[in-house]
């Protein structure tokens, strides 16, 4: 029996010097998870300085990984997302659907074919077994529908009061075909902005059930996989014509397009009247004082495409079941670089800034 | 503005039929996360029936994924783990060290070279920014030490009282070299069981700080990466001589070896006196009525190797800084298949059953 123990210094968290500017937040606030300015600051000032590397710095929906050794070749996409939606079940889906489709979509947004997912559960003591069972069955069905396999898993249990029923992390691996080059920094002035359908459905579906609001029509989450739609668009246009794909989840269309404008050093100008919004969603947003452009989606893609290929890309979207309401909503411009502007219905132009924090916490 | 909404049925969790035998647990208990019998039942009766596929069914520390298309070739290992350790900082490390080394080690246990990690944070509102910063810096240092890059990330924030400071999920990808075939079902009668060092250090380090126990010597977690040790062993023996590798985390040596015995349909017989246990760990276990074989490790590997290569493998372990206290602790046998037995110091033989649930909750 050996008995040598090496002394290891105890870690002192107070030794860490908080980088400026973290807006003088000495502690995490809900908005740090909201996909807006606070989230971006956390990434820029805490995570990137510590972890930074070329794949992470690209800040795409998924990292692109080159396999170039003797033992493996090709390009992979790799992504991770944790899902903490409240409530666990909502009109149109549950946390399990989100966990599968969210990660499938992050891979699709790099033009990758989604193949393998992991599922990590953090369960709260007391979660009814039937609730877990129902979530898991929805995940299995969503994985089948998206053509992916769940190949790795982990379960942790935390004490009552230290969780919220069920948190799920899914990470995913996809394979990127040769010639596919899609990323947030590839938008160019003159490109066209397409959206694959109506915006705001997911966030308002969560909001309506959480707040007990009722509207004349039920609002249903748009949670769905988008890899098929992406495949249809890529097949319909010349190689390279699709510059950027993004699924506007937390932070909505406003956050996604602002991130693209910043990464590509271009301006983006939207024609607000062309952006599809379902009637009940528009009404609910008006009632609650929310802008649909900031509301989360879980089954929509925004695509920046070469103007010459825009009609073909739009037709391909509309021919796909997940893109029947697709629309051309704006253009990329050399003016006002790094900014998103929107021409309103009455012809005025406004700057659309991403939200500081979170309009609707925990929608995914 | 389109306004078509498709009706989607609301999901009814109560429609799920709980499979037998889940030991009549209508709800999740802490033990479902403990790495023992209850965890195994959850995997067998809830996750595998829903998600099952060849890669997942193998139940290794990481899934083995074949890339065999025109666009990518090779074999990858893929794994996921969530870390909910309490307290966040403990002697010898913190949740961030665990998150990196735990996932690096799961990849190494399939003989893979760890390459890329994702990091998904679930932060509780109110977590001091300096605590997050210190955790992230430890993660960055651990990633550098293990030679892996963190290439994908995600942050969610939950309200005060719905988390426990900081939960971290890490998923990882490694590349498996040609000729490396390591997996839990490959043990054969006559093989030798090696362990890379003392057992029980991590679990007892957590326990001592959590319970405010003090012993004559401080107990320090063994949290460390093992890919270098695995590489050294694989280089020292003929191809195929290393049958199984496992890092005995939750559930300890007892759970890992029982899982191997079951997967390989063999018996495993240990010589208890040969198992290295540091003096303070042995004393603490005795005091608390715990068996070190059930206590978690975070920097130890158990290896099942061809008897002809056992001396070479053991020498390679001992020559590596992470394996200086490595020992030969038992043999694989055709007797008592699917069972782990241990010959005690006084010559008696006892069956070592995995724990039902969790001796020490939330140690990783």
């Amino acid at each position: 029996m050996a008995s040598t123990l090496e002394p290891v210094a105890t870690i002192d968290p107070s030794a860490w010097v908080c980088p400026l500017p973290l807006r003088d937040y000495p502690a995490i606030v809900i908005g740090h998870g909201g996909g807006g300015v606070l989230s971006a600051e956390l990434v820029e000032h805490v995570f990137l300085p510590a972890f930074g590397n070329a794949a992470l710095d690209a800040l795409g929906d998924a990292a692109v990984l080159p396999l170039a050794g003797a033992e493996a070749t090709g390009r992979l996409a790799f992504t991770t997302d944790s899902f903490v939606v409240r409530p666990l079940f909502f009109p149109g889906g549950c946390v399990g659907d989100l966990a599968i489709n969210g990660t499938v979509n992050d891979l699709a947004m790099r033009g990758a074919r989604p193949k393998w997912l992991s599922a990590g559960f953090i369960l709260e003591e007391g979660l009814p077994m039937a609730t877990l069972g129902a979530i898991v069955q929805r995940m299995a069905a969503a994985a089948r529908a998206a053509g992916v396999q769940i190949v790795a898993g982990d379960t942790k249990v935390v004490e009552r009061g230290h969780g919220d029923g069920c948190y799920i992390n899914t990470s995913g691996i996809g394979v990127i075909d040769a010639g596919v080059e899609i990323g947030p920094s590839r938008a160019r002035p003159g490109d066209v902005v397409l959206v694959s359908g109506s915006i705001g459905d997911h966030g308002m579906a969560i909001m309506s059930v959480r707040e007990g609001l009722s509207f004349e029509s039920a609002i249903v989450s748009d949670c769905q996989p988008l890899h098929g739609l992406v495949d249809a668009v890529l097949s319909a246009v010349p190689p390279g014509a699709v510059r950027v794909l993004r699924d506007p989840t937390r932070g909505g269309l406003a956050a996604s397009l602002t991130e693209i404008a910043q990464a590509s050093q271009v301006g983006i100008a939207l024609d607000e009247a062309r952006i599809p919004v379902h009637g009940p969603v528009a009404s609910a947003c008006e009632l609650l004082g929310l802008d649909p452009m900031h509301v989360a989606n879980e089954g929509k893609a925004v695509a920046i495409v070469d103007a010459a290929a825009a009609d073909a890309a739009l037709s391909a979207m509309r021919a796909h079941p997940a893109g029947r309401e697709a629309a051309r909503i704006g253009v990329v411009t050399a003016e006002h670089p790094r900014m998103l502007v929107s021409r309103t219905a009455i012809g005025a132009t406004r700057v659309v800034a991403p939200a500081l924090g979170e309009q609707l916490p925990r929608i995914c």
Side-chain angles (χ1 to χ4, degrees), chain A:
Chain A
M1 299 244 176
S3 63
T4 315
L5 281 178
E6 286 179 25
V8 174
T10 297
I11 300 160
D12 175 15
S14 69
W16 186 74
V17 179
C18 186
L20 296 172
L22 267 178
R23 290 188 180 252
D24 302 321
Y25 286 108
I28 293 293
V29 298
I30 287 289
H32 282 121
V37 173
L38 289 177
S39 288
E41 288 188 349
L42 201 62
V43 170
E44 184 180 345
H45 297 290
V46 178
F47 297 124
L48 285 187
F51 302 153
N53 52 66
L56 186 65
D57 294 352
L59 291 177
D61 283 315
V64 175
L65 310 176
L67 285 168
E71 302 308 344
T73 60
R75 280 186 308 160
L76 302 179
F78 183 34
T79 187
T80 192
D81 244 323
S82 299
F83 297 87
V84 299
V85 67
R86 196 168 47 84
L88 294 172
F89 295 82
F90 49 80
C94 74
V95 63
D97 304 70
L98 285 182
I100 301 298
N101 291 334
T103 291
V104 163
N105 291 347
D106 281 344
L107 295 173
M109 295 306 119
R110 285 318 273 266
R113 285 179 286 109
K115 289 187 71 85
W116 297 294
L117 264 56
S118 64
F121 296 87
I122 299 177
L123 306 178
E124 185 182 10
E125 184 186 17
L127 177 74
M129 195 63 78
T131 303
L132 177 62
I135 291 168
V136 164
Q137 286 198 324
R138 294 286 298 189
M139 291 177 75
R144 279 193 299 274
V148 295
Q149 289 188 322
I150 299 168
V151 295
D154 177 57
T155 305
K156 295 292 191 302
V157 178
V158 295
E159 301 87 344
R160 239 175 255 268
H162 291 273
D164 210 351
C166 177
Y167 299 146
I168 304 176
N169 176 284
T170 45
S171 300
I173 300 175
V175 175
I176 304 175
D177 285 346
V180 173
E181 295 290 348
I182 294 169
S185 64
R186 302 179 71 87
R188 306 174 201 173
D191 288 348
V192 167
V193 182
L194 307 178
V195 67
S196 67
S198 64
I199 63 166
D201 299 84
H202 176 71
M204 296 317 293
I206 298 288
M207 197 63 179
S208 66
V209 62
R210 196 188 293 165
E211 304 296 330
L213 304 175
S214 62
F215 307 102
E216 69 262 44
S217 320
I219 299 177
V220 175
S221 168
D222 59 348
C223 183
Q224 63 182 338
L226 293 170
H227 63 295
L229 178 127
V230 169
D231 197 35
V233 171
L234 290 178
S235 303
V237 302
V242 176
R243 321 279 202 210
V244 188
L245 291 170
R246 201 93 204 213
D247 61 331
T249 56
R250 279 184 296 175
L253 198 62
S256 290
L257 288 175
T258 301
E259 282 169 28
I260 293 167
Q262 291 176 348
S264 296
Q265 304 280 335
V266 296
I268 296 179
L270 298 181
D271 188 347
E272 205 153 324
R274 289 172 176 265
I275 301 172
V277 183
H278 288 152
V281 170
S283 306
C285 281
E286 209 169 288
L287 185 71
L288 296 167
L290 299 173
D291 180 344
M293 276 211 259
H294 290 108
V295 179
N297 312 278
E298 289 290 344
K300 297 293 150 47
V302 58
I304 312 269
V305 297
D306 182 355
D311 284 341
L314 184 60
S315 297
M317 279 186 184
R318 287 183 171 161
H320 190 276
R324 285 195 304 264
E325 299 172 2
R328 176 194 290 244
I329 59 170
V331 292
V332 177
T333 162
E335 293 161 43
H336 52 80
R338 302 172 60 84
M339 280 171 67
L340 173 66
V341 304
S342 184
R343 196 159 55 93
T344 65
I346 57 163
T349 297
R350 64 173 177 126
V351 173
V352 183
L356 182 68
E358 183 137 42
Q359 287 191 115
L360 309 172
R362 295 185 55 186
I363 45 76
C364 65

